[in-house]
Amino acid sequence: MHLRTSLPLLGALYLGSLSAGCGEGIEPLEAQAEAPAAELATQEQAAVSTSGFTSHFRQWLSANGYEPQYNLVRSDLVGGSYGGKASSTDTVVNQPVIFIHGNSDKAIGTGTAGQSGWNASIEYFLSRGYKTSELYATTWGPASATLSAYQYHSKTNVMKVRKLIEAVKAYTGAAKVDIIAHSMGVTLARKAILGGYATDSLEGGQYYIGPPLTSSVDTFVGIAGANRGLVSCYQTAGSTPTCAATNGLYPGYWNGLGVSGRSAYLQNLSSSSGYEGAYRYSIWSTADEIIGYGNVVYYDYTSRIPGQTGEKVYSGYPYGHFGVKDQTQAVQYSMVRSHAVP
């Protein structure tokens, strides 16, 4: 791992103009200057409803014990959630797709920098015949760039993702669901699926997530995840919750023979492979401005998922940290529908 930093230290990165993602961020200056892309994003945002879960789904969540305990609705945010049937006669035909966003982002983007949400992907799936009752997303964090350095794989965040998966499967009656996750959402979703025990000393200590959900997931797509940690977390010595050595993205250190000290949370995720679903894909870029360093952490690509079925890799603009989410709708669709990498 190259230890000279060409990026700001993580605390500044999260709290400054690059705040978002795994710590996500806005695209480089050339992306900001590309008017057609910006116009397209605005059109997509306008096309996807920001009103949240349908009233039918909200009522179901309340009746089945998910609300208000897990706050999946996120009525405190515009664009805080998406999905649900229009009525009891709304039949679910396509296998439901669940979208899990990254740090400081939210379910549906509303024009704030670093918060493009899943607008582009949802719009694409809708254009291919999916309905609102087959596409789901919620906001697991505060959706605030100023708080992004304080977000980690907490009990609240893990359980919110877990309960969304369980709720969508039960509500739709589907045998399996598909999951598409971005950035920190990748590592949150992987633990939600893996299940078992976890520990969060700030939220009561050890807790039980539940049994593995492997048999409930058909396709898992992890976009720009930090599965092996972040170089910038090494540089800050785990000084922020996001980079913590227990539930953060701390990558550990190279001892001459291998990696030691990687965060306990990431170690747990890497203790086995193939549990994310029947098909497991990653989408990532060596030009990711947030992950940095060509995506390499101690001789491994951090966005690769151990035991993955396949991957789609990019090497330049416009496929930065957000571009690999917002510009790859057709790739995501192909992975989910055809189990193929175009």
Side-chain angles (χ1 to χ4, degrees), residues 302-322:
T302 191
S303 292
R304 277 182 173 160
I305 299 170
Q308 64 185 20
T309 306
E311 64 183 14
K312 183 73 171 182
V313 183
Y314 298 91
S315 60
Y317 173 81
Y319 300 102
H321 194 66
F322 275 99

Side-chain angles (χ1 to χ4, degrees), residues 111-170:
T112 302
Q115 293 183 347
S116 55
W118 289 103
N119 301 45
S121 297
I122 290 175
E123 180 71 11
Y124 189 88
F125 276 75
L126 289 172
S127 73
R128 294 303 187 275
Y130 278 74
K131 301 183 295 181
T132 301
S133 55
E134 299 162 343
L135 304 171
Y136 294 83
T138 191
T139 302
W140 56 259
S144 171
T146 61
L147 298 175
S148 57
Y150 304 100
Q151 306 312 307
Y152 65 104
H153 304 101
S154 68
K155 176 182 178 180
T156 295
N157 292 338
V158 171
M159 293 308 296
K160 189 183 289 287
V161 173
R162 170 77 178 207
K163 292 303 176 180
L164 177 64
I165 298 170
E166 291 179 351
V168 169
K169 184 174 181 293

Side-chain angles (χ1 to χ4, degrees), residues 99-254:
F99 299 94
I100 311 297
H101 67 78
N103 187 6
S104 85
D105 206 348
K106 58 182 179 177
I108 301 299
T110 51
T112 302
Q115 293 183 347
S116 55
W118 289 103
N119 301 45
S121 297
I122 290 175
E123 180 71 11
Y124 189 88
F125 276 75
L126 289 172
S127 73
R128 294 303 187 275
Y130 278 74
K131 301 183 295 181
T132 301
S133 55
E134 299 162 343
L135 304 171
Y136 294 83
T138 191
T139 302
W140 56 259
S144 171
T146 61
L147 298 175
S148 57
Y150 304 100
Q151 306 312 307
Y152 65 104
H153 304 101
S154 68
K155 176 182 178 180
T156 295
N157 292 338
V158 171
M159 293 308 296
K160 189 183 289 287
V161 173
R162 170 77 178 207
K163 292 303 176 180
L164 177 64
I165 298 170
E166 291 179 351
V168 169
K169 184 174 181 293
Y171 173 68
T172 60
K176 290 190 176 187
V177 298
D178 297 313
I179 297 174
I180 302 176
H182 177 238
S183 197
M184 191 182 285
V186 176
T187 41
L188 281 172
R190 289 181 65 208
K191 181 57 179 174
I193 297 168
L194 178 61
Y197 287 92
T199 301
D200 185 345
S201 59
L202 297 179
E203 294 191 25
Q206 189 180 70
Y207 64 99
Y208 183 60
I209 298 168
L213 295 178
T214 305
S215 62
S216 296
V217 182
D218 182 29
T219 303
F220 181 87
V221 180
I223 306 172
N227 299 295
R228 293 165 180 79
L230 291 175
V231 173
S232 47
C233 285
Y234 178 89
Q235 296 164 348
T236 56
S239 61
T240 64
T242 304
C243 287
T246 301
N247 291 322
L249 294 170
Y250 186 68
Y253 57 90
W254 186 260

Side-chain angles (χ1 to χ4, degrees), residues 5 15 21 63 89 134 173 200 210 253 288 329:
T5 177
L15 298 177
T89 60
E134 299 162 343
D200 185 345
Y253 57 90
D288 189 311
Q329 309 97 301

